[in-house]
Amino acid sequence: MTRILAIATQKGGVGKTSTAVNLGCRLAMDGANVLIVDLEPQAQAGSALGVNLVSEDDIRRSLGLALTDSLTKAGSRESLSKIAFDRDELVSEYEGGRLAVLASEESTMTAAQNAFVTRPYSDTPILRRRLLHEFAGEFDYILIDTPPAVSSLNAVGLAAADAVISLVNPEYPTIKGAMILKEAVQAVENLTAGECKPRFLGAFMNRSNPESAWTVEDLNILEMMITGGLYPYVTDIRRDRRISRAYFDGRPAVLQHPNQSCGKQYTDLLQEVLDRMDTPEAAWPIAQLPGDGEDDSDD
Ligand SMILES: Nc1ncnc2c1ncn2[C@@H]1O[C@H](COP(=O)(O)OP(=O)(O)OP(=O)(O)O)[C@@H](O)[C@H]1O
Ligand SMILES: [Mg+2]
């Protein structure tokens, strides 16, 4: 069975793409067959995996084009196996797993986004219904990197997913972004008349500060995550330059630093995500507020 997971929040720049590529690589390093879907006009998930669509031939393989064709030309688009980019070389030193990406490009994905705006909501499940089902059985996991904002394209990603992970940074506005996203996930079932039922899998803290340096803001944010129903993960991903550097190298951090703190944090986060997929919310371990909150020296 293929499991489809979207990484999403309404706020921009919090680390959705970094999460999608690192969790996807970790799964492939562990032997799973993984497809990353770059549903983003900025095309950063592809580029973080070393795929940049530049030539006309490349652009013919863009996911944006496949989406637009699915909406407008019933049945006549390229098969997805022809447009997926094979990235097995990234994980070739590990056993067994496969890594592929459906890559994006700005003009074609923006055109797809505009096409969805003018279509009824009933077309929103098209990525799941007409595209990803082609890969049923071929991949163990499909990870969808979504655009920020609750846009038509974002809704397409949520509707395609079995489960959605959100994330925040240690900054207040990012909490609201995750809460809005949670509401959007919960609305999908009604809006698609029960066809799509993504499950909200909670939010983790990305770019976290070390606990010894926590301010009142860090504590408040964790408390707001708990009380706001975001089910904060026990594992967070620290702010770490190795993550941003790796992103621009086209080889995610988890590949370059599997045994260093950033690689280990992604491994732990992945395990928590997989556990949450198989258990009811009531059984999820969630992050706890530390001690008495005495660590507020910055404020
Ligand atoms: N834990 C981290 N430590 C350090 N840098 C990080 C971390 N997470 C993400 N970054 C960096 O922050 C920037 C934004 O991250 P990313 O592109 O993953 O966010 P995004 O939510 O996908 O953004 P957008 O909304 O624009 O799609 C990138 O340069 C990325 O490398
Ligand atoms: Mg992104």
Side-chain angles (χ1 to χ4, degrees):
M1 186 185 69
T2 307
R3 308 186 104 176
I4 307 179
L5 199 58
I7 295 91
T9 175
Q10 182 252 7
K11 192 91 180 78
V14 291
K16 296 176 290 298
T17 304
S18 309
T19 307
V21 298
N22 278 290
L23 295 186
C25 283
R26 184 66 252 179
L27 281 161
M29 289 157 74
D30 292 342
N33 296 327
V34 180
L35 176 70
I36 310 275
V37 177
D38 189 354
L39 192 63
E40 238 282 54
Q42 296 175 93
Q44 285 170 334
S47 97
L49 295 165
V51 176
N52 295 292
L53 307 191
V54 180
S55 70
E56 272 186 34
D57 271 356
D58 287 347
I59 292 172
R60 270 197 282 278
R61 293 174 69 180
S62 69
L63 175 60
L65 211 53
L67 277 172
T68 313
D69 286 353
S70 293
L71 279 173
T72 54
K73 299 187 206 162
S76 63
R77 58 169 177 77
E78 281 287 7
S79 93
L80 284 201
S81 48
K82 282 205 187 131
I83 66 169
F85 287 82
D86 183 347
R87 302 306 293 138
D88 286 358
E89 67 187 66
L90 292 178
V91 290
S92 56
E93 65 194 272
Y94 299 88
E95 277 176 27
R98 177 174 169 207
L99 183 65
V101 59
L102 285 177
S104 183
E105 180 276 331
E106 189 179 0
S107 63
T108 45
M109 193 55 84
T110 303
Q113 166 142 345
N114 293 340
F116 277 107
V117 171
T118 62
R119 307 287 292 213
Y121 201 92
S122 54
D123 281 340
T124 298
I126 208 154
L127 175 64
R128 183 182 190 98
R129 208 192 280 154
R130 292 217 36 222
L131 298 171
L132 298 186
H133 82 102
E134 273 184 32
F135 285 127
E138 218 175 300
F139 290 99
D140 303 306
Y141 295 94
I142 296 179
L143 270 69
I144 306 174
D145 182 29
T146 62
V150 177
S151 63
S152 54
L153 212 44
N154 192 280
V156 170
L158 301 184
D162 300 315
V164 182
I165 313 171
S166 195
L167 66 167
V168 306
N169 289 166
E171 294 151 17
Y172 290 119
T174 66
I175 297 274
K176 187 140 187 235
M179 287 182 173
I180 291 171
L181 184 275
K182 181 181 177 185
E183 284 167 21
V185 172
Q186 288 166 340
V188 170
E189 184 170 351
N190 276 342
L191 290 166
T192 61
E195 179 180 346
C196 305
K197 296 178 189 160
R199 188 167 172 229
F200 180 70
L201 279 196
F204 72 94
M205 172 69 72
N206 183 44
R207 286 210 199 85
S208 66
N209 299 311
E211 214 172 286
S212 58
W214 271 23
T215 64
V216 167
E217 185 170 14
D218 293 273
L219 286 169
N220 285 348
I221 284 172
L222 178 54
E223 192 167 11
M224 287 161 80
M225 289 176 81
I226 296 169
T227 55
L230 291 180
Y231 296 92
Y233 283 70
V234 174
T235 309
D236 53 18
I237 305 290
R238 288 272 177 85
R239 179 183 297 275
D240 188 327
R241 285 214 183 87
R242 288 173 293 194
I243 294 175
S244 41
R245 272 202 301 266
Y247 185 89
F248 290 101
D249 291 347
R251 288 189 72 237
V254 77
L255 284 167
Q256 298 195 37
H257 313 288
N259 300 317
Q260 289 168 284
S261 53
C262 55
K264 287 183 181 163
Q265 287 157 20
Y266 279 119
T267 304
D268 292 348
L269 179 65
L270 175 63
Q271 191 55 54
E272 263 196 85
V273 169
L274 297 177
D275 290 345
R276 286 187 179 202
M277 286 180 97
D278 291 329
T279 47
E281 287 153 37
W284 296 349
I286 63 167
Q288 300 295 319
L289 287 163
D292 296 317
E294 70 281 1
D295 211 356
D296 60 355
S297 48
D298 281 9
D299 283 64

